[in-house]
Amino acid sequence: MRYLLLKKANFDDFISSLAQIEKVVAPVSRGYNSFSFAEVKSGKEITLKYIPTVLPPKKYFMPQREKLTEFNKAENSVEAILEYEKMVIFGVHTCDLAGIQCLNIVFSDKPKDINYLVRKNKLVIIGLECNDYCDQYASCKVVDNHLPNGGYDLFFTELDDSFIVHVNTGLGEEIVEKTRLFIPNDQEHLNKLEAIRARKREIFKEEVNVKHKDLVTLFNDKAFESKVWEDLDKRCVACGNCTAVCPTCYCFDILDNINLDLNTGDRTRRWDSCQTEPFAKVAGGENFRKTRGMRQRHRYFRKFRYPAERYSRYFCTGCGRCTRTCMAKISLKETVNALAAEQKYKK
Amino acid sequence: MKPRVAFFDFTCCEGCQLQMANFGEALLDILNLVDVVTFREVMSERSEDYDIAIIEGSITTDHDVERVKKIREKAKVVIAYGSCATIGGINGMKNKFDLEEIKKYVYKDGAKHFSTIPTRAVHQVIKVDYFINNCPVYPPEVIKVLKAALQGIPYEVPDYAVCVECKLNENICMYDKGITCLGPVTKAGCNSWCINNGNICYGCRGMVSNPAKNGQMDILQKYKIPLDWVVNKVDMYNKPRELEEEKPKK
C-alpha cells in the first residue's frame, strides 16, 4: 500500500503506546543466545537482532492446549468453545511469516478449522527484516523466504537511524493512526531499502546443493528407501524437539478431560509430535512408524514432498530451528545434501 | 456407595502421601468421590475393607512381599504411587551392593535383626493397575490417574522423553548450559517440572521403553560426558529396572 518512516529514537515510544492499546508480544532474550516471543510493555525489552526464537510465533496461532468443546454428561449437552486473544506480534522474521502462511493454507483447507481462522483474524503481525543471515543453520534462500513475501500488516526494515515501514493492510493503517509516530519517507529511504535488498540478493545463496525447484523431486519414491534414514535412525533420540520448534508442524492430538465431578468436562487439543514412540501406535499395539529413522523420514517428506504436491509450497521455511535445537546434531542441510549426493544430483 | 480408598506405605519417605495431604481445594473434590478408610499419615481410623489401594514405597523385605500380596488380594484396584512404588526409586541404590555388607554398613551390630532382599517396584511383585510416577508425585497427574481409575478407564504414562514437554515450555536445554540432564531418557508426564524451576531431570519417572542407545551415546560423546557418570545418575532412581531386563523376553 505505502511506505512510512519510524525514527529509531521513537521506537520505544511506539512499543509502549502500542502496548497501552493491545497486548504486544515480541522477541525477548532468554540468555545462552536463545530468544522467545513474550509479552512486552516497552521497546527496551525487545531484542531486535535475534536468531529465530525457541518456539515460532505459531504458539499464538495454534496454542499448545486449546479447548474445543465443553460437555455435560447428565444433561447430554455439548457446547463449542472458541478461545482467542487479541494481540500484536512484533518482530516476525520472513521465515516465520512464511510459516504462518503455511498454517493458514492448511487450516483453510477443507474441513475449515474455524477456531484457527477466527483466532488468526485477532492477531496483528508486524514483520522485521533480516538484513543478513542470522547464523549458519538458516536455509531461507533455498526455500525462497529470505525476502518478504506478504503475510504481514506492517513490515519493518532497519535503516541507519530509522525503520522504513511497509504498511500492507487496513490493520496496519490503524496502528499507524493510533500511535501517531510514523512520518513520511523520502525517495532516499526507498533507495536505501533497495540497496539492502540488492545486497541480500548477493549474500543469500542456496544453502544446499539442490536448486529450489528440484527439492520436491529429490524426495522421490527411491529416496524413501535411502540409506540416509538408516543413519538418522542411529542418531535420533526421538526427543521431539524438531517438531515442537518447527513453524509448520501442526499435528495435534485431541483429548477428553473430565472434571472431578465426573460429569462435566472438556475436549481439548494439544500439540503432538510424529517423532515420539506412541504417535503412530494404534489399537492392538501395532506401530506404523516403529523406528526413529522412519519417523525422521516422515518429517522430511512432510516438509519437502507432500505439501509441495498438495499445496505447491514447501513447508520448510528455512528458519533452521530443527537443526539448531537437535541434541543429536541432525542437520537439515546435511540430510538434503546427503540425499542429493546419493542420487548423484547435479545442480 | 463411594469407592473405599486405603493408603499403604512400604519403603519410602511418605512424602508422596504428604503431597496428597497438601492438595488443598482439590482434596475436597476428591473426598466427594471416595471414602478414605485408611491413611496413616492423616487419620487414626483404619479399615481392612477397601476397593482401591494406593501403595507408596518399594518392596525391600520378605515381610513386604507377604504384606503387599495380601493387599492385592483385598483390593479391586491397585495404584502404585510415587517413584519408590513405580520404579523402586532411590531405595534401589541398595541393589548396587552386596546385601549383607550394605546391611552391616547401615545397621552395624543391629544388622542381625533385619532381613533384606533386593529392592523391587510394586509391579515387580504384584499386578498393578495404575502407575503414578514421580518423586514426589506430580499433583495434576495424580488427579488424572484418580479420575481414570474412578471411571474404570486406562491411564497411559507418556512413553516419550521429558524433552518433549520441556521444549514446549521453551526452557533452555541444560546440555546447552553445560549441565547433564536425564530428560532425554526419562518418561514425560511431569510437564518438565524440575527444569521449569531451574533444576535438572533426575530420572525419577523411569526410563522410556525404547531409549535410543546409539543416539544417546553420540550425545554423551559430543558433550564429553563419561558414560559411567550418566549411568550413576540413572541408577539413583532406576536401579531396579535391571530386574526386568534380566527376565527372558517373551
Side-chain angles (χ1 to χ4, degrees):
Chain A
M1 304 233 297
R2 64 168 174 157
Y3 284 95
L4 286 171
L5 212 62
L6 177 72
K7 290 277 177 200
K8 275 189 183 168
N10 289 331
F11 178 69
D12 194 36
D13 282 349
F14 167 66
I15 296 295
S16 41
S17 58
L18 198 57
Q20 299 216 332
I21 311 166
E22 299 278 11
K23 178 176 174 180
V24 179
V25 296
V28 170
S29 171
R30 304 276 310 271
Y32 299 92
N33 199 27
S34 289
F35 304 87
S36 60
F37 278 95
E39 185 169 5
V40 294
K41 295 287 182 195
S42 75
K44 290 191 194 88
E45 297 166 58
I46 299 174
T47 307
L48 284 168
K49 205 167 163 45
Y50 73 98
I51 64 166
T53 47
V54 178
L55 294 182
K58 102 177 157 182
K59 66 181 181 181
Y60 299 116
F61 287 78
M62 45 173 302
Q64 291 181 10
R65 301 189 74 86
E66 181 187 8
K67 207 186 269 187
L68 301 175
T69 63
E70 281 178 351
F71 60 79
N72 184 315
K73 280 167 69 182
E75 292 172 11
N76 202 16
S77 65
V78 182
E79 194 189 342
I81 301 291
L82 210 53
E83 288 179 335
Y84 59 81
E85 189 180 12
K86 284 179 91 172
M87 207 185 297
V88 177
I89 308 172
F90 175 85
V92 184
H93 284 163
T94 47
C95 53
D96 285 341
L97 291 173
I100 295 165
Q101 286 171 330
C102 291
L103 295 181
N104 290 346
I105 291 169
V106 167
F107 287 109
S108 306
D109 197 359
K110 282 177 190 161
K112 284 189 180 184
D113 195 304
I114 301 300
N115 291 57
Y116 176 91
L117 295 173
V118 169
R119 181 177 310 102
K120 162 181 111 64
N121 284 336
K122 308 291 175 192
L123 299 171
V124 178
I125 304 169
I126 304 181
L128 176 65
E129 182 143 20
C130 302
N131 292 0
D132 211 332
Y133 268 120
C134 52
D135 63 17
Q136 72 274 26
Y137 301 116
S139 57
C140 42
K141 160 70 182 156
V142 74
V143 286
D144 210 14
N145 287 331
H146 59 308
L147 293 167
N149 194 12
Y152 51 80
D153 298 293
L154 293 174
F155 189 80
F156 280 48
T157 305
E158 198 176 347
L159 305 179
D160 311 324
D161 62 345
S162 57
F163 295 97
I164 183 147
V165 179
H166 185 219
V167 188
N168 195 36
T169 64
L171 282 173
E173 286 287 355
E174 271 179 41
I175 289 180
V176 169
E177 275 169 39
K178 282 179 186 162
T179 52
R180 297 179 173 280
L181 288 163
F182 294 83
I183 53 172
N185 62 292
D186 299 327
Q187 183 58 40
E188 172 211 344
H189 300 112
L190 288 177
N191 294 346
K192 278 185 188 162
L193 176 64
E194 192 33 57
I196 286 172
R197 298 271 163 85
R199 184 174 166 268
K200 277 177 75 172
R201 285 187 197 97
E202 290 292 314
I203 309 171
F204 286 72
K205 298 252 159 60
E206 280 178 343
E207 297 85 354
V208 292
N209 305 331
V210 185
K211 280 187 184 154
H212 176 84
K213 68 172 176 54
D214 295 333
L215 276 169
V216 60
T217 45
L218 194 68
F219 288 83
N220 54 37
D221 290 352
K222 230 180 88 198
F224 211 72
E225 309 299 335
S226 165
K227 290 250 185 307
V228 169
W229 314 123
E230 285 170 32
D231 172 49
L232 295 195
D233 185 60
K234 292 192 192 95
R235 294 162 62 199
C236 174
V237 295
C239 68
N241 282 354
C242 50
T243 50
V245 303
C246 178
T248 69
C249 276
Y250 55 83
C251 284
F252 55 80
D253 194 6
I254 294 185
L255 306 163
D256 287 344
N257 310 300
I258 198 147
N259 296 327
L260 269 172
D261 58 10
L262 298 189
N263 177 46
T264 59
D266 58 72
R267 178 164 287 185
T268 294
R269 70 170 155 197
R270 61 159 193 204
W271 292 7
D272 205 348
S273 166
C274 61
Q275 298 306 302
T276 63
E277 191 79 17
F279 184 84
K281 219 175 190 177
V282 294
E286 179 67 28
N287 194 337
F288 288 101
R289 282 192 287 273
K290 230 177 257 156
T291 68
R292 288 173 280 266
M294 288 161 90
R295 304 202 282 264
Q296 280 293 338
R297 176 180 66 194
H298 179 70
R299 180 170 77 89
Y300 277 94
F301 272 72
R302 210 69 169 69
K303 299 300 155 197
F304 292 107
R305 174 158 165 191
Y306 307 144
E309 287 174 347
R310 182 164 177 154
Y311 303 118
S312 305
R313 181 170 185 140
Y314 294 129
F315 268 40
C316 173
T317 69
C319 69
R321 282 188 179 89
C322 55
T323 310
R324 216 172 275 121
T325 197
C326 182
M327 297 197 74
K329 304 276 178 277
I330 292 171
S331 155
L332 182 126
K333 289 199 271 183
E334 284 171 17
T335 306
V336 169
N337 284 341
L339 268 183
E342 196 182 61
Q343 295 181 24
K344 300 190 170 59
Y345 170 89
K346 289 222 167 59
K347 207 168 176 175
Chain B
M1 220 178 76
K2 290 196 264 182
R4 295 163 67 83
V5 173
F7 284 82
F8 298 97
D9 34 72
F10 286 80
T11 304
C12 63
C13 72
E14 296 186 44
C16 289
Q17 289 173 84
L18 199 60
Q19 280 282 93
M20 180 64 88
N22 278 339
F23 250 45
E25 226 171 290
L27 189 57
L28 299 176
D29 292 330
I30 293 168
L31 290 175
N32 279 333
L33 297 172
V34 299
D35 277 329
V36 177
V37 296
T38 298
F39 195 163
R40 196 171 66 89
E41 211 169 62
V42 300
M43 59 196 260
S44 322
E45 302 88 334
R46 49 177 299 135
S47 166
E48 290 297 313
D49 176 18
Y50 45 84
D51 304 303
I52 300 175
I54 299 181
I55 300 176
E56 184 181 346
S58 44
I59 308 304
T60 61
T61 65
D62 289 325
H63 175 248
D64 285 352
V65 175
E66 262 175 59
R67 188 173 155 235
V68 81
K69 281 183 176 166
K70 278 191 185 136
I71 294 171
R72 178 71 262 189
E73 279 168 21
K74 284 184 189 164
K76 294 190 184 88
V77 172
V78 169
I79 302 177
Y81 188 66
S83 293
C84 300
T86 51
I87 58 170
I90 55 168
N91 309 314
M93 282 194 280
K94 171 172 87 169
N95 298 4
K96 278 186 137 174
F97 303 92
D98 178 86
L99 289 185
E100 283 309 310
E101 259 175 47
I102 200 70
K103 199 167 76 175
K104 277 179 198 148
Y105 178 79
V106 174
Y107 294 107
K108 308 283 186 245
D109 294 343
K112 60 177 182 289
H113 301 299
F114 296 94
S115 80
T116 191
I117 59 171
T119 300
R120 279 181 278 176
V122 175
H123 73 275
Q124 290 173 331
V125 182
I126 59 165
K127 180 177 170 280
V128 169
D129 303 295
Y130 293 94
F131 292 85
I132 304 182
N133 293 72
N134 242 85
C135 172
V137 288
Y138 179 56
E141 193 181 31
V142 175
I143 291 176
K144 257 190 218 170
V145 177
L146 284 180
K147 288 192 292 199
L150 290 169
Q151 294 177 94
I153 56 177
Y155 172 76
E156 301 280 347
V157 180
D159 191 13
Y160 47 77
V162 169
C163 304
V164 174
E165 293 171 344
C166 193
K167 191 53 69 181
L168 295 186
N169 289 319
E170 289 196 79
N171 292 319
I172 309 303
C173 181
M174 284 292 168
Y175 286 83
D176 288 340
K177 294 183 178 180
I179 302 168
T180 315
C181 170
L182 294 186
V185 290
T186 303
K187 280 180 185 165
C190 57
N191 192 31
S192 60
W193 197 9
C194 290
I195 305 104
N196 297 352
N197 288 288
N199 210 333
I200 59 158
C201 172
Y202 291 92
C204 77
R205 295 181 59 81
M207 292 170 77
V208 292
S209 66
N210 182 15
K213 281 197 181 131
N214 283 323
Q216 302 290 0
M217 297 292 259
D218 282 357
I219 292 172
L220 295 185
Q221 252 176 17
K222 254 159 221 157
Y223 288 98
K224 298 199 172 67
I225 301 164
L227 177 63
D228 56 344
W229 211 32
V230 174
V231 171
N232 268 338
K233 267 180 191 277
V234 170
D235 282 351
M236 186 165 116
Y237 274 101
N238 292 280
K239 190 71 181 166
R241 75 186 183 285
E242 290 164 2
L243 299 171
E244 273 162 66
E245 284 165 7
E246 282 164 13
K247 268 195 229 160
K249 280 192 179 140
K250 278 176 205 164

